[in-house]
Amino acid sequence: MDTRKVAIFDTTLRDGEQSPGCSMKLHDKLLVAGNLEALKVDVIEAGFAIASPGDFESVQAIANQVKTCTVASLARALKGDIDQAWAAVKGAALPRIHTFLATSPVHMQYKLRMSPEQVLQQAVSMVKYARNLCPEVQFSLEDYTRTEEEFSWKVIEAVIAAGAAVVNLPDTVGYAIPEEFGARIRRVMEHVPNVGNATIAVHCHNDLGLAVANTLAALRAGAGQAECTVNGIGERAGNAALEEIVMALRTRHDFFENLECGVDTTKIMSTSRCVCSVTGSRVQNNKAIVGQNAFAHESGIHQHGMLANRQTYEIMTPESIGLTQSQMVLGKHSGKHALKDRLAQLGITLSEDRLAELFTRFKDLADAKKVVTDADIEALARGLEMRPDAQQKVVFDRFLAATGNTNANVSTVRLKVDGQTVEEVAMGSGPIEASFNAINKMLNLHVTIENFSVSAVTANVDAQGECDLRVRHNQRVYLGRGVAQDIIEAAIRAYVHALNGLLEDEQRMTVNAATLAAASAGTGLV
């Protein structure tokens, strides 16, 4: 039987980012895009270019950075959206415009307020418009699984004739059941005369916990592209998880006998960790493939079997997804080259400036801990700002806290704000709140803190503390993370990290407002 290539379309940076609390800054998105390119996905959906100036900037930057993957931007079936998408991706080595329109009765009646005939006409005209701009166009029938089948066949045939190279059939609300979904895809392959002129794609949501199962059923039925996200992040209950689809195809090649994808599975773990790091959204311990317990064995019966032969309880190897058992012990006598080599094994790439900063923190930690684990190194790397200190408005310097259960909690914090040293003292119900109050006084900020958590990186008493938090300001949410052996310092670093994102946004909005005012003055507009 001939091998059939399955394209992996990753939408972590678009649909994944729409998951509450998973918004990413430009430098975060570029880091994720670099990992996805190393993972060898076929398509990176970089964002929704018209959504905001920030989205446009990030799609454009990713399009200019990525060389070996197709880079797509989402666009509604509107000329303005399509123009903006093309402006963002046209610099890509392999650009794609991904436009969509809802086709289910409930969406057409209540959201679009359009008849089926109007929807069909709009879909065709916008695919033609996009195709005149971009060499590759993808069209999605939003809410396909609740669309009347015969109408869906008409739309699919018409958009392929109009120039769509890929037609995506999404289970937008996670409604499908695998047997049913596979049967629908088979009927598409049978009833659409020109279906062989395009790739049929599927995009499944996980509202019933069936996103991966539905995707695999569709691939067996003839679909040629799987849309998914790293760690399964996404709106509501998330999307089909990339790592689960890819490893199912690989591990059960006997069942999916003619289906293959080009993903480098040894990069799965590092990409998963990268996404966790930049979004602050961690996977549960028992998550398939990438969870902490995915290759852990506690039961005595299981351990006995594993010692005899790993295949007794493992259907894939840790090494196949990029987990390695390193024999090199890192400590205070280790050099920068050893650290750089270990980072490479962990799938972490840093600039020379960032590596130098990490090495300094590594040495400080090694002096205190003696032996530094992979988890410690990953946490240190997560705690680094992705931008050099010179590009940060606020840089943490030091703190001194007086705390106890019999006296007031007081903290003195010193920061560098725009290069100038500023120090403030404040009280609070605990040393962390006191430290945050001191920072708020220095920066004259009033924010709401959400989802504050501190955890130990390892199980030892000398473990580092890792803090993740989110702050809300004017309806915007900013992620902060910090790592230090002192949990108060970790919390301060996380808070400063989040506030830098907030201040960066405020500065950009001020510049944009000034630019708009200047342009209006020049044209006489008010």
Side-chain angles (χ1 to χ4, degrees):
M1 186 178 292
D2 293 337
T3 297
R4 183 159 61 88
K5 170 74 184 299
V6 170
I8 299 299
F9 177 112
D10 182 273
T11 184
T12 302
L13 293 169
R14 199 277 299 171
D15 201 329
E17 196 199 17
Q18 291 173 200
S19 178
C22 286
S23 62
M24 300 174 240
K25 293 291 185 183
L26 174 58
H27 53 274
D28 295 328
K29 291 185 177 183
L30 289 171
L31 183 64
V32 172
N35 275 264
L36 291 172
E37 188 171 21
L39 187 63
K40 297 183 180 178
V41 302
D42 297 279
V43 185
I44 297 173
E45 187 167 53
F48 198 169
I50 205 168
S52 71
D55 277 69
F56 178 87
E57 180 186 10
S58 62
V59 174
Q60 188 175 58
I62 292 165
N64 292 335
Q65 171 183 285
V66 170
K67 303 303 179 188
T68 59
C69 308
T70 296
V71 177
S73 175
L74 188 67
R76 291 169 298 182
L78 299 170
K79 286 186 177 180
D81 279 40
I82 291 169
D83 287 339
Q84 193 81 336
W86 174 238
V89 301
K90 65 182 180 182
L94 300 165
R96 179 186 293 183
I97 292 174
H98 176 195
T99 188
F100 70 96
L101 192 61
T103 53
S104 67
V106 65
H107 276 249
M108 290 190 292
Q109 180 179 353
Y110 294 104
K111 187 179 78 172
L112 300 178
R113 300 189 183 279
M114 294 170 68
S115 68
E117 292 74 20
Q118 289 172 317
V119 166
L120 179 59
Q121 182 181 10
Q122 182 79 357
V124 169
S125 64
M126 289 302 99
V127 167
K128 287 181 178 179
Y129 184 77
R131 183 62 186 82
N132 285 331
L133 298 173
C134 184
E136 190 168 82
V137 174
Q138 172 172 324
F139 180 80
S140 287
L141 289 74
E142 186 185 5
D143 203 20
Y144 162 75
T145 46
R146 294 191 295 174
T147 297
E148 294 176 352
E149 276 197 271
E150 290 193 8
F151 178 62
S152 75
W153 300 338
K154 287 182 183 179
V155 175
I156 295 166
E157 181 181 0
V159 296
I160 292 174
V166 181
V167 180
N168 180 39
L169 307 177
D171 185 22
T172 304
V173 292
Y175 179 74
I177 302 299
E179 184 178 1
E180 167 196 56
F181 194 52
R184 281 190 67 125
I185 300 300
R186 276 191 292 274
R187 288 193 290 272
V188 166
M189 309 307 289
E190 294 166 358
H191 288 86
V192 176
N194 58 356
V195 71
N197 296 334
T199 298
I200 296 299
V202 290
H203 175 119
C204 298
H205 278 264
N206 205 38
D207 298 70
L208 293 176
L210 296 170
V212 170
N214 281 323
T215 301
L216 294 171
L219 294 177
R220 288 198 78 212
Q225 177 177 286
E227 303 200 359
C228 44
T229 60
V230 176
N231 300 334
I233 65 172
E235 289 193 277
R236 303 186 313 277
N239 289 268
L242 178 151
E243 61 278 3
E244 295 177 26
I245 294 169
V246 169
M247 292 309 294
L249 292 177
R250 172 180 168 140
T251 305
R252 291 304 311 275
H253 195 262
D254 59 323
F255 186 74
F256 301 103
E257 52 211 9
N258 67 326
L259 301 182
E260 291 185 354
C261 70
V263 167
D264 180 355
T265 65
T266 64
K267 299 293 194 299
I268 284 176
M269 201 67 215
S270 58
T271 306
S272 170
R273 287 166 171 165
C274 173
V275 171
C276 286
S277 176
V278 302
T279 63
S281 178
R282 299 188 181 185
V283 298
Q284 73 266 29
N285 288 347
N286 63 334
K287 166 76 171 66
I289 315 299
V290 294
Q292 182 178 315
N293 295 344
F295 295 94
H297 305 273
E298 185 171 335
S299 161
I301 295 172
H302 283 216
Q303 289 175 347
H304 175 72
M306 286 292 294
L307 290 171
N309 187 320
R310 295 189 71 89
Q311 292 183 2
T312 54
Y313 288 103
E314 283 187 355
I315 60 172
M316 66 195 93
T317 66
E319 291 80 10
S320 68
I321 64 162
L323 284 172
T324 58
Q325 298 296 323
S326 177
Q327 301 302 311
M328 187 186 299
V329 176
L330 294 180
K332 65 180 182 179
H333 299 298
S334 299
K336 187 185 291 186
H337 289 296
L339 176 62
K340 187 174 183 178
D341 181 71
R342 178 61 61 81
L343 288 168
Q345 292 179 34
L346 295 173
I348 300 170
T349 303
L350 299 175
S351 68
E352 287 301 317
D353 287 344
R354 298 289 86 187
L355 177 62
E357 182 180 347
L358 182 67
F359 185 63
T360 299
R361 295 191 186 183
F362 161 74
K363 282 290 192 180
D364 291 341
L365 181 63
D367 279 335
K369 284 197 67 177
K370 310 306 178 191
V371 174
V372 181
T373 68
D374 285 353
D376 288 318
I377 293 170
E378 289 181 48
L380 285 174
R382 285 196 298 269
L384 283 179
E385 283 278 6
M386 297 303 173
R387 294 155 294 177
D389 288 347
Q391 296 178 18
Q392 298 174 40
K393 185 176 180 66
V394 181
V395 178
F396 170 68
D397 188 3
R398 69 182 189 185
F399 83 101
L400 177 65
T403 183
N405 64 353
T406 59
N407 62 306
N409 293 276
V410 180
S411 181
T412 303
V413 180
R414 190 162 80 183
L415 305 174
K416 290 183 180 178
V417 182
D418 291 328
Q420 301 297 313
T421 299
V422 185
E423 190 170 71
E424 190 59 79
V425 60
M427 299 175 64
S429 58
I432 291 176
E433 184 185 41
S435 300
F436 289 2
N437 288 341
I439 293 170
N440 291 341
K441 287 171 68 176
M442 278 184 271
L443 302 179
N444 192 29
L445 283 174
H446 301 281
V447 300
T448 302
I449 297 175
E450 300 179 344
N451 300 328
F452 178 92
S453 67
V454 177
S455 57
V457 173
T458 59
N460 305 343
V461 293
D462 61 353
Q464 295 183 96
E466 184 169 22
C467 178
D468 290 290
L469 56 79
R470 292 187 178 93
V471 301
R472 183 176 292 277
H473 180 69
N474 292 338
Q475 304 307 311
R476 290 176 176 265
V477 175
Y478 300 90
L479 170 69
R481 69 188 73 88
V483 178
Q485 278 206 284
D486 186 291
I487 60 172
I488 302 172
E489 180 181 342
I492 293 172
R493 288 186 179 276
Y495 195 49
V496 168
H497 182 191
L499 295 183
N500 268 312
L502 186 162
L503 295 169
E504 180 185 314
D505 269 5
E506 289 197 338
Q507 183 176 24
R508 182 186 297 111
M509 286 187 285
T510 300
V511 170
N512 289 342
T515 302
L516 182 61
S520 298
T523 58
L525 299 175
V526 293

